[in-house]
Amino acid sequence: MSVGETPITIVGNLAADPELRFTTSGDAIARFSVASTPRSYDKSTGQWRDGTAMFLRCTAWRDLANHVADSLTKGMRVVVTGRLRQHNWQTDQGENRSMLALEVDDIGPSLRFATAKVAKVQRNGTSSGPANDAWNTPAPTGATASTGGWGTPSSGDEPPF
């Protein structure tokens, strides 16, 4: 990310399956929309009310694009971080148009109402099963909860991880 850019995070559901395509140079690009609907609690009725849904077009590149296409499908709740980009163009009739889109830096399933099995991708592009994933890596020798979990001193104010 460049200096001065402001990252944003959006939480919502995929409006459709991601579309995976390739540029002429062979780079993967995945495009998808995330629908984010605000909810508010109405104290007078004791019920939740949905607000107006916002649909944000998202673009992921290269390896991330492949992972998105392989892992995510329509309806999944996701957490997406990235940078807003404004796209400007002119229609065939000469009308100026613009839209905001999110250039994705990172994305994953929301675990608020679901679970996920993560498979770490090896450098050669293959994935390993959950037994070899990044979160199942044993702590280095000598790491204990009293040393901050990974050998760093714990200040006492932080959880031991």
Side-chain angles (χ1 to χ4, degrees):
M1 190 175 321
S2 299
V3 174
E5 290 186 330
T6 304
I8 69 161
T9 301
I10 184 169
V11 178
N13 295 21
L14 290 183
D17 288 344
E19 299 171 14
L20 182 64
R21 297 186 181 190
F22 295 89
T23 64
T24 55
S25 62
D27 288 331
I29 180 171
R31 290 193 173 122
F32 54 94
S33 291
V34 175
S36 182
T37 306
R39 299 189 85 202
S40 59
Y41 186 73
D42 186 340
K43 290 181 183 178
S44 64
T45 63
Q47 295 183 347
W48 287 93
R49 290 188 2 212
D50 287 342
T52 303
M54 175 184 68
F55 290 83
L56 186 60
R57 194 73 175 146
C58 301
T59 304
W61 290 88
R62 298 173 192 80
D63 286 342
L64 181 57
N66 285 312
H67 300 276
V68 165
D70 289 344
S71 304
L72 303 174
T73 58
K74 178 181 178 177
M76 286 185 165
R77 189 153 184 87
V78 293
V79 180
V80 187
T81 61
R83 295 156 281 138
L84 281 179
R85 297 280 187 234
Q86 182 166 326
H87 300 279
N88 302 306
W89 71 95
Q90 199 170 59
T91 67
D92 293 338
Q93 293 77 26
E95 298 171 323
N96 292 326
R97 302 290 173 130
S98 68
M99 71 175 245
L100 290 177
L102 187 64
E103 189 169 312
V104 178
D105 291 324
D106 207 353
I107 183 171
S110 170
L111 300 181
R112 185 172 190 167
F113 302 111
T115 61
K117 298 280 185 202
V118 178
K120 183 178 178 183
V121 175
Q122 304 298 320
R123 293 213 183 260
N124 65 3
T126 62
S127 63
S128 59
N132 295 323
D133 71 30
W135 292 273
N136 199 24
T137 304
T141 305
T144 65
S146 65
T147 62
W150 289 88
T152 56
S154 176
S155 67
D157 295 331
E158 304 156 351
F161 53 86

